[in-house]
């Protein structure tokens, strides 16, 4: 299973011993949470293709939200006991609610009773990438488990690409779909392109970024996009406050092509990843938690140069990455992210 044995044991114990169970799988990766939820269901003894039709209901956002109509479907689904064969009753029926943070307030209030008192044969699984944004009354009715990137496929990735894995390790650790793509395909040629980005100047990186953003994304483009973001971050830190505003304006224009909010969030997510690794080096001895392996030597130099990040700045970065929609001024978001970045190493000039 892709979830850890420790978490899996706890979940299965709750299911086996409970008379109606409400669970939540939380994390940042939609694809990972979906697969984990399905694996929990399919792990039941004697699970079959027929039962996946009769004893499993999957609820997903419709038109961007999960409304009262979907909650009524859940209630109707659990009105009848699970049927296995012609006369035998199975022990459980399952409902998976993907992206549960998209439940409307009206639907959430209607959902409360079912979550609190599910039928004895019911197992309700919620997945959410924004758990803390949901109603506290829903959170309090579920056993929540934080789902992390599984270690076994990451080890397989290292074995497959050996010393070249460092160029895709961070992207694959943070995106389960990319991890599966790199395991099931040969991305050696893409890795060569990623290495070439390291020698490009700032304007050349922006040109490559603009080209990628024009025609949508696939897994290969996502790997390239993240590497370009990393290299842009390095160029900003190298320049510091010199030329900050001209670089800011150029990056702003590049990120505003296509879905600006999505582009900005991806950039800030990469920034968060880089500063997290820097914080690990500067504050802990757990270097095995570093994900951007291709940046290790550079990060060590960065930390030795006086890298420092305010807690408030980190919380802002983390909060923005978790946003589904944004009413914030996009220019101000980009400016603040970059200002946080350069201030982390050039604090004396901004004191």
């Amino acid at each position: 299973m892709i979830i850890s044995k420790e978490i899996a044991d706890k979940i299965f114990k709750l299911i086996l011993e409970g008379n109606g169970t409400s669970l939540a799988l939380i994390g940042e990766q939609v694809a990972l949470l979906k697969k984990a939820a399905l694996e929990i269901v399919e792990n039941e003894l004697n699970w079959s293709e027929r039962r996946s039709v009769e004893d499993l209901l999957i609820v997903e956002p419709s038109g961007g939200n999960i409304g009262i109509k979907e909650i009524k479907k859940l209630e109707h689904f659990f009105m009848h006991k699970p049927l296995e064969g012609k006369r035998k009753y199975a022990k459980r029926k399952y409902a998976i609610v993907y992206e549960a943070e998209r439940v409307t307030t009206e639907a959430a209030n209607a959902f409360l009773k079912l979550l609190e008192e599910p039928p004895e044969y019911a197992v309700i699984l919620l997945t959410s990438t924004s758990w803390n944004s949901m109603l506290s009354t829903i959170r309090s009715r579920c056993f929540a488990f934080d789902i992390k990137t599984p270690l076994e496929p990451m080890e397989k990735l290292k074995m497959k690409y050996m010393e070249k894995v460092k160029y895709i390790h961070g992207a694959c650790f943070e995106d389960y779909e990319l991890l599966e793509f790199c395991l099931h395909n040969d991305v050696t040629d893409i890795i060569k392109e990623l290495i070439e980005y390291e020698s490009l100047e700032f304007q050349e990186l922006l040109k490559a970024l603009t080209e990628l953003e024009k025609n949508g994304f696939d897994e290969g483009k996502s790997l390239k996009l993240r590497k370009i973001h990393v290299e842009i971050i390095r160029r900003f830190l190298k320049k510091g406050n010199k030329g900050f505003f001209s670089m800011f304006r150029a990056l702003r224009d590049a990120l505003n092509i296509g879905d600006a909010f999505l582009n900005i969030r991806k950039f800030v997510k990469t920034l968060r990843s880089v500063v997290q690794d820097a914080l690990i080096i500067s504050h802990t001895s757990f270097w095995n938690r570093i994900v951007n392996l291709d940046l290790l030597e550079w990060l060590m130099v960065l930390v030795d140069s006086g890298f420092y990040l305010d807690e408030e700045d980190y919380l802002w970065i983390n909060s923005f990455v978790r946003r589904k929609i944004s009413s914030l001024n996009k220019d101000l978001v980009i400016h603040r992210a970059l200002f946080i970045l350069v201030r982390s190493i050039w604090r004396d000039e901004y004191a």
Side-chain angles (χ1 to χ4, degrees):
M1 296 190 69
I2 61 174
I3 59 177
S4 69
K5 184 179 184 304
E6 180 184 2
I7 290 179
D9 288 345
K10 290 179 180 178
I11 289 174
F12 295 135
K13 183 178 180 181
L14 286 168
I15 292 174
L16 290 171
E17 296 180 357
N19 291 315
T21 308
S22 298
L23 305 167
L25 307 182
I26 62 178
E28 292 193 0
Q29 302 183 49
V30 173
L32 178 61
L33 296 177
K34 284 186 175 182
K35 183 160 186 176
L38 279 174
E39 281 194 351
I40 290 169
V41 174
E42 293 169 355
N43 189 75
E44 179 165 313
L45 189 65
N46 297 324
W47 189 259
S48 64
E49 186 175 344
R50 180 183 175 183
R51 288 196 63 199
S52 69
V53 175
E54 296 178 346
D55 293 337
L56 172 62
L57 175 67
I58 294 178
V59 175
E60 298 186 79
S62 175
N65 291 314
I66 296 173
I68 194 73
K69 181 180 178 181
E70 285 72 34
I71 302 305
K72 294 295 183 184
K73 285 182 182 179
L74 282 168
E75 293 174 343
H76 184 266
F77 174 72
F78 283 121
M79 285 175 63
H80 306 283
K81 292 184 177 181
L83 181 64
E84 185 182 273
K86 293 183 178 179
R87 297 181 180 177
K88 287 186 178 180
Y89 286 99
K91 289 185 177 180
R92 282 171 285 276
K93 292 180 77 171
Y94 293 84
I96 303 176
V97 181
Y98 291 140
E99 300 181 66
E101 67 274 6
R102 297 187 182 273
V103 174
T104 64
T105 302
E106 180 187 18
N109 288 324
F111 198 13
L112 292 177
K113 188 176 189 316
L114 183 59
L115 283 174
E116 185 171 18
E117 299 178 359
E120 61 181 3
Y121 49 82
V123 178
I124 303 172
L125 282 162
L126 311 183
T127 73
S128 176
T129 57
S130 187
W131 185 238
N132 288 331
S133 70
M134 298 187 65
L135 291 177
S136 59
T137 46
I138 284 187
R139 299 200 308 269
S140 65
R141 285 164 168 78
C142 299
F143 295 98
F145 297 91
D146 195 4
I147 306 301
K148 304 291 188 182
T149 302
L151 296 179
E152 184 178 343
M154 290 301 298
E155 290 301 317
K156 290 180 180 178
L157 189 77
K158 293 176 183 178
M159 292 297 294
K160 181 174 181 177
Y161 294 101
M162 305 301 287
E163 72 277 0
K164 299 296 185 183
V165 75
K166 64 183 181 180
Y167 297 103
I168 57 174
H169 187 274
C172 291
F173 185 85
E174 295 172 355
D175 189 327
Y176 187 73
E177 289 181 307
L178 288 183
L179 173 57
E180 288 201 314
F181 175 78
C182 292
L183 284 174
H184 298 146
N185 299 275
D186 185 357
V187 299
T188 303
D189 289 340
I190 294 176
I191 290 176
K192 291 178 182 177
E193 292 187 59
L194 303 185
I195 295 172
E196 291 175 359
Y197 289 144
E198 295 184 349
S199 61
L200 297 184
E201 297 296 330
F202 178 71
Q203 290 298 333
E204 294 174 314
L205 289 167
L206 290 185
K207 183 178 179 181
L209 175 64
T210 301
E211 289 300 316
L212 282 177
E213 291 175 341
K214 282 181 179 178
N215 302 312
F217 291 101
D218 54 27
E219 289 84 355
K221 286 185 177 181
S222 293
L223 288 169
K224 295 174 188 178
L225 180 75
R226 189 182 187 280
K227 182 60 174 176
I228 291 173
H229 285 169
V230 166
E231 294 305 316
I232 287 173
I233 289 167
R234 292 178 67 180
R235 302 302 181 274
F236 264 95
L237 283 171
K238 183 178 180 180
K239 287 286 187 178
N241 67 334
K242 299 175 182 177
F244 174 87
F245 286 104
S246 62
M247 292 174 73
F248 153 70
R249 287 191 291 268
L251 179 61
R252 175 200 62 193
D253 293 342
L255 291 176
N256 272 291
I257 294 175
D259 188 336
F261 170 68
L262 182 61
N263 294 338
I264 295 168
R265 191 174 67 171
K266 286 180 178 178
F267 178 78
V268 176
K269 183 178 180 181
T270 304
L271 188 153
R272 181 186 65 173
S273 180
V274 172
V275 300
Q276 279 178 338
D277 281 352
L279 290 170
I280 288 171
I281 292 174
S282 62
H283 289 80
T284 79
S285 58
F286 302 113
W287 286 26
N288 60 322
R289 297 179 182 175
I290 294 171
V291 299
N292 297 289
L293 302 182
D294 55 329
L295 301 181
L296 183 55
E297 292 183 10
W298 175 78
L299 286 167
M300 292 172 65
V301 173
L302 180 69
V303 170
D304 287 342
S305 300
F307 172 85
Y308 178 85
L309 191 71
D310 283 332
E311 181 180 2
E312 180 182 348
D313 287 340
Y314 179 77
L315 291 174
W316 179 87
I317 292 172
N318 204 41
S319 173
F320 180 77
V321 169
R322 292 176 179 274
R323 281 177 175 265
K324 296 295 182 183
I325 56 174
S326 178
S327 57
L328 302 175
N329 182 288
K330 297 178 181 64
D331 289 358
L332 292 179
V333 169
I334 299 170
H335 184 276
R336 179 165 183 179
L338 294 175
F339 185 74
I340 288 172
L341 182 64
V342 298
R343 185 171 63 177
S344 69
I345 192 68
W346 299 95
R347 299 193 64 80
D348 290 343
E349 298 184 28
Y350 291 101

